[in-house]
Amino acid sequence: MAAPTPLLKDELDIVIPTIRNLDFLEMWRPFFQPYHLIIVQDGDPSKTIKVPEGFDYELYNRNDINRILGPKASCISFKDSACRCFGYMVSKKKYIYTIDDDCFVATNPSGQKINALEQHIKNILCPSTPYFFNTLYEPFREGADFVRGYPFSLREGVPTAVSHGLWLNIPDYDAPTQLVKPLERNTRYVDAILTIPKGTLFPMCGMNLAFDRDLIGPAMYFGLMGDGQPIGRYDDMWAGWCCKVICDHLGLGIKTGLPYIYHSKASNPFVNLRKEYKGIFWQEDIIPFFQSLVLPNEATTVQKCYIVLAKQVKEKLSKVDPYFDKLADAMVTWIEAWDELNPAGASQANGKA
Amino acid sequence: MAAPTPLLKDELDIVIPTIRNLDFLEMWRPFFQPYHLIIVQDGDPSKTIKVPEGFDYELYNRNDINRILGPKASCISFKDSACRCFGYMVSKKKYIYTIDDDCFVATNPSGQKINALEQHIKNILCPSTPYFFNTLYEPFREGADFVRGYPFSLREGVPTAVSHGLWLNIPDYDAPTQLVKPLERNTRYVDAILTIPKGTLFPMCGMNLAFDRDLIGPAMYFGLMGDGQPIGRYDDMWAGWCCKVICDHLGLGIKTGLPYIYHSKASNPFVNLRKEYKGIFWQEDIIPFFQSLVLPNEATTVQKCYIVLAKQVKEKLSKVDPYFDKLADAMVTWIEAWDELNPAGASQANGKA
């Protein structure tokens, strides 16, 4: 059933943040080779990252980021996988798929290898239904539909901006849960895709994620993490909360569920605890902040929404910790850098302006 | 792994609305026989319904309903499975499971028979998480947990009031979808349970449903349907919307997903279309009504919430159709009848008053 031409071959970039040789790509070769890769090399820029033969890629290390963005490079994290968002910014394609280099091809319960990218593309290309819950999950899948009682006026759905995939084997747990359940593995293959309802926040993981750059790209900022920052492992979470409130405001959808990848190795829970512990506290203020956030009607583009959001972060979260003051500034810098690198996209993608 | 004593054996009633002999119970014998059944006989009360040997049951026909409720019997539908809610009212137990007589035991992908009732009980006895979405679904299942980024303050959850189960084989489609896809069968077993997020409405199907009478019983009214009414097949939907807004207001949870039953036969789509078509129109006004409904802080019990809701229905939906004026009155009658039959429960269950 493999399509003769891979879906969106010339419209999608695969973004991979890494500090090591990309041997993991061998396993993905049948699925990824037709696509262009953007590799964001983290850490020591003098190190050479080996990419298996036959892949079409561009690679950016810290020196490249500094050269391209100049002083605005300050908004891109260092020594943290949050650096991946630089790849989102330099891409010229409509769609992005991002994956971690410790994620392998998973198999479904019938033993077939899962083409995660293909499933993400299917998710993104069909509408989302954030205004009403469908009990048989994704109504657009083969063999499924809207159930009795689903309002007909809502069946057209809205454009899908984000597709959030899951992980078999090592689940994406926080450090305390890792410490308490060191041996827990995710073996449950849940054959579902669903739209996260409007008004509901979710923990977006950056390990296996696709999105539409034109629709939501400028909100996919992974924040300030890692080197010189008091926090780590909240990069994707931050992006997820920002994206969700902006999608809700602009009438866009976010799906979660299939596809699965196989997450091979658990990160060190002690190291993770050090990175996370401030986030664990701060989150108790961040979540109510996002839950009560109201974006104004004038915020009709992702950029405008994001700038309003940055102002609100400064105003409301800086009292939680001075870190948020810095983060709010970086959010503005990120948008400036985005618009600089995407001058056409900025107006085209946000055509409502 | 079968528990030696069935869970909640003396605290749960199984409510079955029917017009025929209950041969379908044979298949459920291993799972249902320890429990008490409440059979609500619809249609001609002179007909005798045969119940297989060995089941402990009480049976009510229309004459019984009229005798027990007197003039208040007007709130109980006739010639429609909505009559089942009479069973909820006469029960003296804390939990209800209700199932249609064309629902058989389903098998899971490993070929094991699914004890639907046991799974419902597990769902109801563990908390719900309506305030934040967990991407690995039910965090309380074996092998699952809350993922990274899930706020710790929200992990305790809230009490679960309703467990909504699904259907393999014949999906619960409306008449137009039945007509368009006469051969579609649900063969996808989705191994998930999830909490419907706060603020999100869903289409609740009454075919395979469990709930906590003490927590939500008085809102589980299936409305005026069938004989003498302009509408059918919206009984469970109505109950679902009422329950959801009241659960959201009172801080209670609703789960959907497992368990599956095997739904054996599709109802006639032409007959269904006649019953449904007004509902299909009205629903376009009903959903925004429920989405924008705000219950006052003083509404601290299910009964109080329901009376406020009835007033709002009269005020806001009567202009859609005079039917809603009648329905609003019936909602009040239902609560009066409920409190009459459940004088102790009324105060105990709603102890916050």
Side-chain angles (χ1 to χ4, degrees), chain A residues 145 149 153 181 236 283-284, chain B residues 145 148-149 153 181 283-284:
Chain A
D145 213 313
S153 62
K181 292 176 154 185
D236 43 4
Q283 188 174 354
E284 300 296 336
Chain B
D145 212 313
R148 178 172 58 93
S153 62
K181 293 178 153 182
Q283 189 175 351
E284 299 296 336

Side-chain angles (χ1 to χ4, degrees), chain A residues 11 15-16 38 48 56 65 101 112 135 196 207 254:
Chain A
E11 296 172 72
V15 172
I16 304 165
I38 297 179
T48 303
D56 169 44
I65 295 172
D101 63 6
Q112 289 162 317
T135 50
I196 316 237
M207 226 188 296
I254 297 184

Side-chain angles (χ1 to χ4, degrees), chain A residues 313-325:
Chain A
V313 167
K314 194 177 265 274
E315 204 178 300
K316 304 255 178 75
L317 291 179
S318 289
K319 58 182 167 233
V320 173
D321 193 276
Y323 166 75
F324 291 97
D325 199 55

Side-chain angles (χ1 to χ4, degrees), chain A residues 149-165:
Chain A
Y150 201 103
F152 278 83
S153 62
L154 296 178
R155 295 189 187 197
E156 202 182 318
V158 302
T160 302
V162 178
S163 167
H164 177 259

